[in-house]
Amino acid sequence: QLQLVESGGGLVQPGGSLRLSCAASGFTLDYYTIGWFRQAPGKEREGVSCDSSSDGSTYYADSVKGRFTMSRDNAKNTVYLQMNSLKPEDTAVYYCAAETGPGLCVLFPSADFGSWGQGTQVTVSS
């Protein structure tokens, strides 16, 4: 059984930072392309970032470029999303997703991901 579990969300002031974690069980994340998505109330799901271990490609949405960074800890089978200089418009439920195959980050965010976590709430407010 494959499972992804997000954690690290919470309430933070504008300009603050959060580090989200995506822990995998049942498979090794290092062999998968990982995407981060977010969805705010009343809005469509938005692709945030993508990282592929197979082809080395990365993607960051223009709205988060320069502020968000993805990383991996293979020993812990965990992927991270470091979020700095947070803005109120970053408020959303954040999801990680995993899929195999090449070219997914090139197609991101329209590529189909087969495995999804349950999400973690990020609220940026004073």
Side-chain angles (χ1 to χ4, degrees):
Q1 185 174 1
L2 308 181
Q3 188 175 46
L4 296 170
V5 179
E6 301 95 337
S7 62
L11 175 64
V12 64
Q13 291 184 313
S17 298
L18 284 174
R19 188 194 194 194
L20 305 184
S21 299
C22 176
S25 62
F27 64 102
T28 301
L29 272 180
D30 188 51
Y31 302 146
Y32 285 75
T33 297
I34 307 299
W36 283 96
F37 298 81
R38 66 186 182 185
Q39 188 165 21
K43 293 186 176 181
E44 298 290 327
R45 188 179 65 195
E46 177 187 12
V48 175
S49 65
C50 183
D51 179 72
S52 173
S53 61
S54 61
D55 61 16
S57 61
T58 59
Y59 169 89
Y60 292 94
D62 289 340
S63 59
V64 308
K65 195 172 299 181
R67 301 187 297 119
F68 291 11
T69 304
M70 288 185 65
S71 62
R72 300 187 184 217
D73 187 336
N74 292 333
K76 296 183 179 295
N77 207 28
T78 299
V79 174
Y80 303 99
L81 182 66
Q82 179 67 45
M83 307 185 297
N84 299 325
S85 302
L86 284 163
K87 306 174 181 179
E89 50 263 45
D90 295 319
T91 296
V93 177
Y94 283 72
Y95 303 88
C96 65
E99 186 57 272
T100 58
L104 295 177
C105 289
V106 173
L107 298 174
F108 192 86
S110 60
D112 292 327
F113 286 78
S115 299
W116 291 79
Q118 294 298 306
T120 184
Q121 176 71 49
V122 172
T123 302
V124 184
S125 176
S126 298

